[in-house]
Amino acid sequence: MGDEAIQRAALVFKVFDVNGNGVLDVQDFDLMTRRVSAVAGDSADEERQALADSLSAYWQVLADALDTDGDGVISPAEFEGFVLDAERFAPTASAFADALATLGDPDGDGLIERPRFLALMTAIGFDPANTDALFDALAQGGADRIPVTTWADAIRDYYAPDKTGIPGDRLVTLQA
């Protein structure tokens, strides 16, 4: 596992700590769901529900695996070790990847336009400049659209501890 994976996990923790209290708790996932759903108001109800379900499952997997003392919170150290365990966390990350990428395509043409991508990623909590750099890395030949599958695969790669030099690393490298 490389430094890139550790930096990616730390950034995910930071953006998922929506209420900024230094730990992850169920309220963070509820807030995240509301923020992203608000941006995706023109998506189908079932697509927004799929994201809500994926974030609820994300929290439940974390809580079941890591909240051994039952206090309802996950620390940064507990989180890093778990999300970098591809075998244990990959299905959860994959469901989240598919749900989020689908929200990027409300017209169902299989493509995500830059403004929608930026809005969703910013709603999650990623830095707009880093998000723009990520979109550029995912876009083919300077296009202003990317396939839904490209984004979903990039999210899965982001959670893979053995991946290095991936487009998603742009979310970390420019982060202030």
Side-chain angles (χ1 to χ4, degrees), residues 81-94:
F82 185 71
V83 299
L84 294 179
D85 183 339
E87 186 175 312
R88 292 174 64 195
F89 194 68
T92 301
S94 187

Side-chain angles (χ1 to χ4, degrees), residues 62-170:
L62 290 176
D64 289 349
L66 303 175
D67 188 18
T68 56
D69 62 3
D71 66 354
V73 300
I74 308 297
S75 73
E78 293 168 326
F79 180 81
E80 177 183 295
F82 185 71
V83 299
L84 294 179
D85 183 339
E87 186 175 312
R88 292 174 64 195
F89 194 68
T92 301
S94 187
F96 171 69
D98 291 337
L100 181 60
T102 298
L103 283 182
D105 181 26
D107 62 8
D109 67 355
L111 298 169
I112 302 165
E113 286 76 23
R114 182 184 298 267
R116 179 62 165 234
F117 180 87
L118 296 176
L120 288 168
M121 290 293 283
T122 301
I124 290 171
F126 289 104
D127 179 77
N130 297 34
T131 299
D132 205 37
L134 173 59
F135 190 91
D136 288 341
L138 297 174
Q140 301 278 329
D144 230 24
R145 302 179 305 174
I146 58 172
V148 171
T149 55
T150 297
W151 190 18
D153 289 344
I155 295 168
R156 281 187 271 280
D157 286 350
Y158 192 90
Y159 283 97
D162 60 328
K163 301 277 183 166
T164 60
I166 61 170
D169 287 337
R170 285 157 180 83

